[in-house]
Amino acid sequence: MMKKKLLFVNGHLNVGGVEKSLTDLLCNLDYNKYNVDLLLLENGGTYLQYLPQNVNVIFIDTTKAYGPLIKSIFHNLLTFRWSMVVYRIILLIASKFGKSHLSELRNILQLTSTYDVAIAYRPGICADIVAYTAKANKKIVWWHHGEINISPSTILEYNKTWSYFNNIVTVSDGCKQLLSQTFQYPFYKIIVLPNIVDADQITKMAGTESPYKDNKLKIISVGRLCPEKHFEDIIDVTRRLMDGSIYDFHWYIIGEGELHEDLIRKINKYKVNEQITLLGKKNNPYPWIKYANIFVHPSHVESQGLVVLEAMTLGTPCVVCRSIGTSEFMINEVNGILTEPNEYSLYMGLKQMLKINDRTNLTSKAQIMVKEKFSKKHIIQKFDKIIISNEKG
């Protein structure tokens, strides 16, 4: 059978949920079936080292083409980045006279080949490039977000761009409903394909040694420090526990983001410095998750909740706020504790978990669920069907 030629387009492979999803997918494809090009538009990133050699990475750093128009063009001329001058001018023409002019980017972005399938792994510029620049027999755009916070004009732009795509792929049924309610795109052409949970790789990376140095009960949370993740609720929950004379615990937070300084200020204000530690970014968070006593996820917005599934895989008991993604696999008091998306409910859920002496019943059911629904074999089989399917998906 002749190999199908695939193109993936994304910004980078820095640490992040979308990038982890893309890396896991590329690491598990059957390269007897596919030749794969990956176009990155910003930089390489931490996950680049994990890609198989079968992936042909096309790296075109377009970041210098953005910013104030005159400043950008002048700076690129001074540094002899002629291609970025042309890139910026083409973007300007496309914004004024129609995105069809993005086809002029083919040579700059090294997209002169014709692909069987071209995949934009994000909306926005990645989708624009696949829609208007790439030549492909079939085009797919991925949607990973658990909410839609874009302007009406942007919705109209997406509607127009997405008319060039054979399918939208998203990671949960809740996201499919959200997309259908927001955009003018045929419901039957929206396909649900969850992210892979590679249990073998996660377990291997978790290792056999605990990174913790104290004997207190250890709670771990992982995610971007941004408003929708509600990491500030951890501070409120900690204060409530202490007010109830519960002190013998240490809460660790892995992640970075724009709310880092705000969290530090609130930690100092509520005097919980000895109970909460911000660990920053960890390229490998799995040892911290595996050897924690409890995993808590305060996020109100998750398209799927990949990090929760990873914690379940490692056998760590989970207390999780309800969201579009997590409500599809988390069953309260069966494979974890599912709370409402607010600080008080999260507190009550954690207290409930703390009262359970033997949590193996929860964790064993969680591991079975992940293996049945999110294994790499199951997800790759579904991906293969999407690639070879007709327009209806």
Side-chain angles (χ1 to χ4, degrees):
M1 184 176 66
M2 185 175 294
K3 290 185 180 182
K4 287 192 175 294
K5 190 170 184 178
L6 308 185
L7 169 70
F8 290 82
V9 179
N10 199 52
H12 55 78
L13 286 181
N14 291 320
V15 174
V18 174
E19 288 67 38
K20 179 65 165 58
S21 165
L22 175 55
T23 302
D24 285 344
L25 179 59
L26 292 174
C27 285
N28 287 285
L29 291 182
D30 183 351
Y31 289 94
N32 291 315
K33 297 180 181 178
Y34 305 118
N35 289 318
V36 175
D37 287 348
L38 169 63
L39 172 62
L40 298 177
L41 301 170
E42 296 173 30
N43 54 51
T46 302
Y47 293 143
L48 191 63
Q49 62 185 310
Y50 301 121
L51 292 184
Q53 293 182 346
N54 309 74
V55 179
N56 176 43
V57 179
I58 304 169
F59 176 49
I60 309 292
D61 184 4
T62 63
T63 56
K64 299 298 189 294
Y66 294 95
L69 178 63
I70 301 301
K71 182 179 179 180
S72 170
I73 291 177
F74 182 70
H75 180 71
N76 283 304
L77 287 173
L78 284 178
T79 52
F80 304 106
R81 296 190 183 94
W82 312 113
S83 62
M84 287 303 101
V85 174
V86 177
Y87 182 91
R88 182 58 185 269
I89 291 171
I90 292 172
L91 289 185
L92 180 63
I93 292 171
S95 68
K96 299 292 184 182
F97 302 104
K99 289 185 177 180
S100 61
H101 292 279
L102 293 176
S103 62
E104 301 299 324
L105 292 175
R106 281 184 189 136
N107 287 326
I108 293 174
L109 297 179
Q110 299 178 27
L111 296 180
T112 54
S113 299
T114 297
Y115 294 89
D116 292 294
V117 183
I119 298 167
Y121 218 68
R122 282 183 181 272
I125 186 62
C126 296
D128 288 344
I129 287 171
V130 170
Y132 301 102
T133 309
K135 296 184 290 184
N137 299 322
K138 181 174 182 176
K139 298 184 178 184
I140 298 171
V141 58
W142 239 261
W143 180 272
H144 304 266
H145 310 293
E147 64 178 354
I148 299 175
N149 289 325
I150 55 179
S151 68
S153 61
T154 302
I155 290 174
L156 290 175
E157 285 184 21
Y158 279 19
N159 283 333
K160 185 174 181 179
T161 298
W162 288 357
S163 68
Y164 288 82
F165 286 90
N166 300 86
N167 296 107
I168 298 175
V169 173
T170 192
V171 295
S172 65
D173 289 316
C175 283
K176 179 173 181 174
Q177 295 293 333
L178 185 66
L179 289 168
S180 178
Q181 293 163 8
T182 307
F183 299 103
Q184 294 176 354
Y185 193 85
F187 185 78
Y188 73 91
K189 293 171 69 174
I190 304 174
I191 299 173
V192 175
L193 181 69
N195 293 318
I196 292 170
V197 181
D198 190 340
D200 294 336
Q201 181 66 14
I202 291 167
T203 302
K204 180 180 178 182
M205 292 180 69
T208 57
E209 294 186 12
S210 171
Y212 299 103
K213 305 303 180 184
D214 61 68
N215 295 319
K216 293 182 178 181
L217 182 134
K218 293 167 278 292
I219 305 172
I220 186 72
S221 295
V222 181
R224 284 183 297 111
L225 307 184
C226 57
E228 64 265 27
K229 302 297 184 182
H230 287 270
F231 278 97
E232 71 278 3
D233 288 354
I234 289 173
I235 301 168
D236 296 319
V237 171
T238 297
R239 190 68 258 177
R240 283 182 181 272
L241 291 172
M242 294 171 66
D243 290 343
S245 299
I246 300 175
Y247 296 97
D248 194 28
F249 69 93
H250 199 135
W251 203 320
Y252 297 85
I253 300 174
I254 292 176
E256 58 184 15
E258 65 265 33
L259 296 185
H260 182 267
E261 296 303 318
D262 290 343
L263 290 174
I264 290 177
R265 282 191 288 270
K266 190 170 182 178
I267 287 170
N268 292 331
K269 177 182 177 181
Y270 283 83
K271 299 179 180 178
V272 292
N273 311 67
E274 295 185 7
Q275 281 72 35
I276 299 176
T277 298
L278 299 179
L279 295 171
K281 182 180 76 171
K282 295 287 182 183
N283 293 336
N284 180 10
Y286 300 125
W288 299 87
I289 297 173
K290 176 180 177 179
Y291 291 99
N293 300 103
I294 300 171
F295 177 90
V296 176
H297 199 55
S299 176
H300 296 189
V301 179
E302 291 293 343
S303 57
Q304 181 178 347
L306 183 57
V307 70
V308 179
L309 292 165
E310 292 172 336
M312 288 177 150
T313 298
L314 291 171
T316 307
C318 295
V319 179
V320 179
C321 281
R322 184 186 302 276
S323 63
I324 280 179
T326 58
S327 61
E328 292 187 13
F329 61 80
M330 175 73 76
I331 305 173
N332 188 37
E333 299 183 22
V334 175
N335 56 15
I337 301 296
L338 184 65
T339 79
E340 295 308 311
N342 62 70
E343 169 264 327
Y344 180 72
S345 183
L346 186 66
Y347 161 70
M348 294 301 293
L350 180 54
K351 278 191 68 178
Q352 182 182 357
M353 182 67 83
L354 290 172
K355 291 177 182 178
I356 302 173
N357 293 322
D358 184 2
R359 305 180 184 118
T360 55
N361 189 44
L362 290 177
T363 57
S364 61
K365 288 180 179 177
Q367 288 176 314
I368 291 169
M369 179 277 300
V370 175
K371 185 176 181 180
E372 290 178 348
K373 293 186 177 181
F374 301 100
S375 69
K376 56 186 178 182
K377 180 180 179 181
H378 179 68
I379 303 304
I380 291 299
Q381 285 176 345
K382 293 188 70 173
F383 175 83
D384 291 340
K385 289 181 180 179
I386 293 170
I387 294 302
I388 66 173
S389 66
N390 59 23
E391 185 179 274
K392 293 186 178 182

